[in-house]
Amino acid sequence: MTLGGLLVRIGAGLAVIAALALALWIYARGWAPGRDQYPIQGLTISADNGPVDWGTLAAQGADLAYIRAADAADRRDPAFAANWRGARAAGLRYGALLEFSPCRLASDQATQFMTTVPRDNAALPPVIRLAFTPACTARPGRDMLLSELNTLVNLVESHAGKTVVLNVTEDFDKAYDIGSGINRTLWLDGNFFPPDYASRPWVMWTASDMRHIDGVDGPVRWNVVTP
C-alpha cells in the first residue's frame, strides 16, 4: 500500500471515530431513564445554570427541582429566591439543597441555610450534598466529620421540620462511609448506570450530569426517584 493510500485509510478511520463520538455525545445530551422504571424525575438547579424558564421545564417533563441555597464556599446562591418562586409557580415539587464543606463550621453552614431558605410546609425534604470540591482541601478524620455533619443535619432538620436527604458522591462515601455513619435517606450519583457504592440502598439517583433540556441553558444534573 502506498503512503497516500495509508493516509486515506487513517483519515477515513478517524472520520468514523469522530462521527461515533458525536453521535454518542448527542445521545447523552438527551438521555434520561425510562419513565416506566422511574416515573418521578427532575433536576438540580443553581445560579450556575443562568435564567430558568420554569414553565418550559415543567412542559418538558420535570416533576421536581432541587434548588441550591448555598455552595461549599459558604456563599448564598444569588438565584435561590427567584428559582424557588419559579418552581413553585410552575407546579413543580421543589426543595432546597445545601452543599456541605469540611472547611466550614456546621453551625455557620446551618445559618446560611436557615437565613436563605424559608419555612415552607409544601417543600420537599432538604438535601445536604456531600462532595469534594477544589474550594476545600481539608480531609478531617471520620469521627470529626460525622460529628460536624450530625450537627448540621440536626440544625437543618429543626429549621425545615423535615428529615434531610444526603446526596453523597462516590469518592466522598469511600472516604467516610456516610451510609453506615448517619441513618438518613441516600441520594447517589452515577451517569447512565444505577450506583451501587453505598452501604445502604439509595432512594434518589443523579442519572446524568450532562442532560440538556429546554428551559435552561447548558447541562443539568438530572435526578430520578425510586418508585
Side-chain angles (χ1 to χ4, degrees), residues 46-47 67-70 76-85 95-97 116-118:
S46 71
I67 301 163
R68 188 177 69 186
R76 291 184 179 90
D77 191 297
F80 175 81
N83 284 332
W84 191 259
R85 291 192 303 268
L97 181 146
T116 302
V117 181

Side-chain angles (χ1 to χ4, degrees), residues 184-203:
R184 292 296 186 275
T185 296
L186 294 181
W187 167 355
L188 305 182
D189 295 354
N191 280 328
F192 309 116
F193 300 101
D196 61 0
Y197 55 80
S199 57
R200 291 188 289 105
W202 51 270
V203 171

Side-chain angles (χ1 to χ4, degrees), residues 20-32:
L20 288 173
L22 178 61
L24 287 172
W25 178 72
I26 292 172
Y27 176 77
R29 283 169 54 101
W31 180 85

Side-chain angles (χ1 to χ4, degrees), residues 42-61:
L43 71 168
T44 306
I45 285 289
S46 71
D48 298 339
N49 298 112
V52 179
D53 184 334
W54 287 100
T56 299
L57 277 181
Q60 291 291 307

Side-chain angles (χ1 to χ4, degrees), residues 86-101:
R88 182 171 53 194
L92 275 70
R93 300 201 64 189
Y94 55 93
L97 181 146
L98 172 67
E99 295 180 354
F100 173 75
S101 172

Side-chain angles (χ1 to χ4, degrees), residues 12-222:
L14 291 175
V16 169
I17 293 172
L20 288 173
L22 178 61
L24 287 172
W25 178 72
I26 292 172
Y27 176 77
R29 283 169 54 101
W31 180 85
R35 293 275 177 171
D36 56 334
Q37 289 183 288
Y38 302 100
I40 301 175
Q41 304 192 13
L43 71 168
T44 306
I45 285 289
S46 71
D48 298 339
N49 298 112
V52 179
D53 184 334
W54 287 100
T56 299
L57 277 181
Q60 291 291 307
D63 304 303
L64 58 86
Y66 266 101
I67 301 163
R68 188 177 69 186
D71 65 18
D74 205 29
R75 297 172 300 203
R76 291 184 179 90
D77 191 297
F80 175 81
N83 284 332
W84 191 259
R85 291 192 303 268
R88 182 171 53 194
L92 275 70
R93 300 201 64 189
Y94 55 93
L97 181 146
L98 172 67
E99 295 180 354
F100 173 75
S101 172
C103 290
R104 308 283 178 179
L105 289 174
S107 56
D108 292 342
Q109 296 181 70
T111 298
Q112 285 285 54
F113 182 89
M114 292 185 289
T115 55
T116 302
V117 181
R119 294 176 182 269
D120 188 338
N121 291 333
L124 294 166
V127 167
I128 298 175
R129 178 162 172 80
L130 307 173
F132 294 126
T133 67
C136 174
T137 59
R139 299 293 182 267
R142 184 171 185 265
D143 289 346
M144 180 179 294
L145 182 129
L146 290 179
S147 176
E148 280 292 284
L149 183 54
N150 264 308
T151 297
L152 179 60
V153 165
N154 291 332
L155 290 170
V156 169
E157 289 180 344
S158 178
H159 173 75
K162 296 180 174 71
T163 303
V164 304
V165 175
L166 299 178
N167 178 199
V168 191
T169 61
E170 184 171 7
D171 55 350
F172 202 100
D173 193 66
K174 284 183 176 178
Y176 292 107
D177 190 14
I178 297 298
S180 68
I182 299 182
N183 185 23
R184 292 296 186 275
T185 296
L186 294 181
W187 167 355
L188 305 182
D189 295 354
N191 280 328
F192 309 116
F193 300 101
D196 61 0
Y197 55 80
S199 57
R200 291 188 289 105
W202 51 270
V203 171
M204 288 188 66
W205 163 37
T206 296
S208 174
D209 63 7
M210 57 185 79
R211 188 173 188 205
H212 286 67
I213 185 171
D214 292 343
V216 59
D217 291 334
V220 297
R221 295 178 63 229
W222 191 256

